[in-house]
Amino acid sequence: MFPLSEIPNSVDINVDMLRKILDYSSDEIFVLDGEKRIVFVNNVCEKHYGLKPKDIMGKYNVELFEKGYWKPSIVPLVFKEKRTITIKQTTYIGAELLTTAVPMLNSQQEIELVVITSQTLQAYKSIKNDQEQLSTKSLQDRYISNYTPLTNCEKVKNIIKVCEKIACVDSTILIQGESGTGKGVLAHYVHSISNRKDQTFLKINCAALPGDLLESELFGYVEGSFTGANKFGKKGLLETADKGTLFLDEIGEMPLSLQAKLLEVIQEKQFIPIGGREKKTVDIRIIAATNRDLIEMVKHKQFREDLFYRLNIMDIELPPLRERREDIIPLTYNFLYKFNDKYEMNKLISQECLDIFSNYSWPGNIRQLENTMERLVITSDSMIKECDIPDIILNNTSVQTQSIIPPTLDDAIDYVKKTLVTKSYAKNKSSRKVAQDLNISQTRAVKLISQYCSNE
């Protein structure tokens, strides 16, 4: 140990420096005041909840909890017990956290502040903690449905609010939007909060089956209806979904001949199986979805006008991912947690990758992002880096460098070097070609590749 006289002078740490230090922590740091208002949170919150600190600070803890950002809540227990509490939590984007809350008491033994730290759990799946004390039905009833679409986008939040209003009635719903925008997730969400939530939810893709097979799948058939038919007949999806919900995906691909029969089901709640004579009655809710412009199809006699208006009682338009960029990062982490858990891995993702994802147009929408993350979790080393990203994304990304270049000159120079080297190496795959591409010596190219693209 140093003699006291030899201890170096302490460094003055101002608020900005302290905030920067806390943001470098790998653990989430959350501070509440005595009124349970959030007075500080570091940048790790974006990894856990898909929210930036500015979206959290100043709000009351209960506001975020009731919106389902995490479960269960540790705050009521720590304010009640006035002691350190540790529990396991799950966030709405799929992060599993080991969370510890430490109360700071004044001389009257009243809570002035609560400091909460959370670290991500990956392989550690079971822990004995105070969570059991919180797992009461009254708390569980406050959580939003597991099928709730993950979003920070106000437009999508408003769509979810509309869904909550129409879920309790049986009107047909038409969900429109590009392929991969989450139409199926939204349909399942409506079912999960409806009066039919305990009944069957069935989905059929109208584009995946030829017309004759689609008809038999939907309406079923009686014995001897056609060559090759089951000798006992077959119950159709309409009958199987009785009392529940039938989701017709890609409804725009349904043949005109079937559209007339579907219209009768919607209007009369009745249908006749193929080869049958007697009508069957069903009580179902129909939710349809399409990525096609049905109005244009109606104009060109490719879709029945009467069916369109029967389906279009409740019309929902889901925006593409490029119009809800605030959802890209939380969705990325959601899929990272999902595939880490599925493949029993513990991959991390670099900030450079997140920046590229945020500035890519995602023509395949959420489905493309999910597939990309599955590939990256499988093929990358411990850290998913820029050189791991598929060329189709790297070559079609317009990075807004002004918003991501570090503020200091040295850091900015290093950032630009790293960006150029990693992009060149991802494209060329050899130090010789990188040297030619960047107009530097091969020796220097090897050193830079080793520095910026080596496995961690």
Side-chain angles (χ1 to χ4, degrees):
M1 295 180 63
F2 287 111
L4 287 176
S5 60
E6 296 182 18
I7 294 179
N9 292 332
S10 61
V11 177
D12 291 332
I13 299 180
N14 58 29
V15 174
D16 289 339
M17 186 180 295
L18 178 60
R19 190 182 299 273
K20 187 173 182 180
I21 291 170
L22 295 176
D23 280 335
Y24 270 91
S25 170
S26 60
D27 292 349
E28 178 191 321
I29 302 171
F30 220 90
V31 183
L32 307 179
D33 64 14
E35 300 298 322
K36 304 176 186 176
R37 186 187 291 108
I38 302 161
V39 296
F40 176 79
V41 63
N42 63 350
N43 284 337
V44 181
C45 70
E46 186 172 14
K47 175 182 176 182
H48 291 167
Y49 317 113
L51 296 172
K52 295 184 180 297
K54 65 181 178 64
D55 300 322
I56 293 180
M57 285 192 283
K59 289 184 168 59
Y60 288 92
N61 182 79
V62 69
E63 294 179 54
L64 298 173
F65 171 69
E66 288 184 343
K67 290 180 179 178
Y69 281 105
W70 59 76
K71 60 180 180 181
S73 178
I74 196 173
V75 173
L77 193 57
V78 77
F79 270 82
K80 176 183 178 182
E81 307 254 341
K82 296 183 179 180
R83 64 178 178 88
T84 299
I85 303 291
T86 298
I87 66 171
K88 179 182 172 183
Q89 291 181 311
T90 303
T91 76
Y92 90 125
I93 64 174
E96 289 184 308
L97 308 176
L98 182 64
T99 301
T100 299
V102 181
M104 297 175 63
L105 308 177
N106 60 20
S107 57
Q108 286 79 40
Q109 296 300 295
E110 297 171 337
I111 292 180
E112 288 188 336
L113 295 173
V114 175
V115 179
I116 303 173
T117 56
S118 300
Q119 59 186 119
T120 304
L121 292 169
Q122 290 292 348
Y124 191 56
K125 294 296 181 186
S126 64
I127 123 181
K128 291 184 178 180
N129 52 42
D130 293 321
Q131 182 177 349
E132 294 178 359
Q133 301 176 32
L134 299 174
S135 297
T136 61
K137 191 175 188 303
S138 61
L139 282 176
Q140 290 172 349
D141 287 342
R142 296 168 69 185
Y143 303 152
I144 57 177
S145 164
N146 289 335
Y147 294 106
T148 306
L150 192 159
T151 187
N152 286 327
C153 172
E154 285 304 318
K155 186 173 183 179
V156 179
K157 287 181 179 179
N158 289 334
I159 289 173
I160 293 173
K161 288 178 182 178
V162 171
C163 289
E164 291 169 351
K165 292 178 181 178
I166 64 179
C168 58
V169 298
D170 285 334
S171 300
T172 55
I173 300 173
L174 177 62
I175 306 174
Q176 301 188 73
E178 294 179 10
S179 181
T181 50
K183 298 186 290 293
V185 173
L186 190 65
H188 211 153
Y189 172 64
V190 171
H191 173 77
S192 73
I193 59 174
S194 73
N195 297 329
R196 300 174 182 266
K197 62 184 177 183
D198 296 324
Q199 304 298 325
T200 303
F201 177 88
L202 287 181
K203 170 186 174 180
I204 186 167
N205 189 325
C206 300
L209 299 173
D212 292 343
L213 186 54
L214 179 60
E215 183 178 10
S216 66
E217 286 295 315
L218 279 175
F219 298 95
Y221 54 84
V222 299
E223 57 181 300
S225 299
F226 50 86
T227 303
N230 188 308
K231 65 179 181 179
F232 300 109
K234 180 182 177 181
K235 182 189 291 187
L237 293 181
L238 289 171
E239 192 174 354
T240 304
D242 190 29
K243 309 299 183 186
T245 301
L246 179 62
F247 175 47
L248 299 175
D249 199 9
E250 305 299 346
I251 187 72
E253 308 300 329
M254 179 177 283
L256 286 167
S257 58
L258 280 188
Q259 291 178 24
K261 295 188 69 172
L262 178 62
L263 181 62
E264 183 181 5
V265 174
I266 296 174
Q267 292 181 155
E268 308 295 337
K269 303 296 184 185
Q270 293 180 335
F271 69 96
I272 300 177
I274 297 174
R277 296 182 178 180
E278 295 183 2
K279 288 189 175 182
K280 292 191 174 184
T281 301
V282 288
D283 173 20
I284 60 172
R285 179 183 201 158
I286 290 180
I287 302 176
T290 183
N291 61 3
R292 300 188 65 180
D293 187 339
L294 293 187
I295 294 179
E296 282 297 312
M297 293 182 69
V298 169
K299 289 180 181 177
H300 293 89
K301 307 299 183 183
Q302 296 172 331
F303 198 86
R304 291 183 63 103
E305 184 176 14
D306 48 5
L307 177 59
F308 171 72
Y309 287 114
R310 288 299 301 181
L311 292 172
N312 201 36
I313 295 175
M314 299 293 178
D315 182 21
I316 295 173
E317 180 80 29
L318 272 177
L321 189 55
R322 62 182 174 276
E323 293 179 11
R324 44 186 288 201
R325 292 190 178 275
E326 57 268 68
D327 287 341
I328 293 175
I329 300 305
L331 285 167
T332 297
Y333 277 116
N334 175 248
F335 297 137
L336 179 65
Y337 298 134
K338 173 182 176 178
F339 294 119
N340 269 337
D341 182 68
K342 179 178 180 179
Y343 298 114
E344 298 183 350
M345 296 180 178
N346 189 19
K347 302 295 178 69
L348 303 174
I349 186 167
S350 69
Q351 185 60 49
E352 288 79 10
C353 287
L354 296 175
D355 292 334
I356 290 170
F357 282 9
S358 295
N359 291 283
Y360 179 59
S361 62
W362 296 107
N365 294 296
I366 298 172
R367 185 180 296 120
Q368 183 189 6
L369 176 57
E370 180 176 14
N371 293 341
T372 299
M373 285 305 300
E374 182 170 16
R375 166 182 168 167
L376 292 175
V377 167
I378 294 171
T379 61
S380 69
D381 295 302
S382 59
M383 174 72 75
I384 300 172
K385 293 184 286 190
E386 187 173 342
C387 54
D388 298 314
I389 297 176
D391 288 344
I392 191 172
I393 296 176
L394 284 175
N395 296 335
N396 291 280
T397 301
S398 177
V399 179
Q400 300 170 0
T401 54
Q402 275 192 331
S403 62
I404 59 176
I405 289 181
T408 67
L409 180 61
D410 288 343
D411 287 346
I413 291 172
D414 187 65
Y415 171 82
V416 173
K417 285 167 59 179
K418 182 174 183 178
T419 300
L420 292 174
V421 171
T422 52
K423 282 189 175 181
S424 181
Y425 185 66
K427 178 181 178 181
N428 296 300
K429 306 298 183 184
S430 80
S431 60
R432 180 180 60 81
K433 291 182 179 180
V434 169
Q436 293 174 348
D437 187 27
L438 301 181
N439 196 24
I440 57 177
S441 68
Q442 187 173 1
T443 302
R444 188 180 180 195
V446 170
K447 289 181 179 179
L448 291 171
I449 291 169
S450 176
Q451 180 179 355
Y452 295 125
C453 303
S454 60
N455 298 336
E456 295 192 359

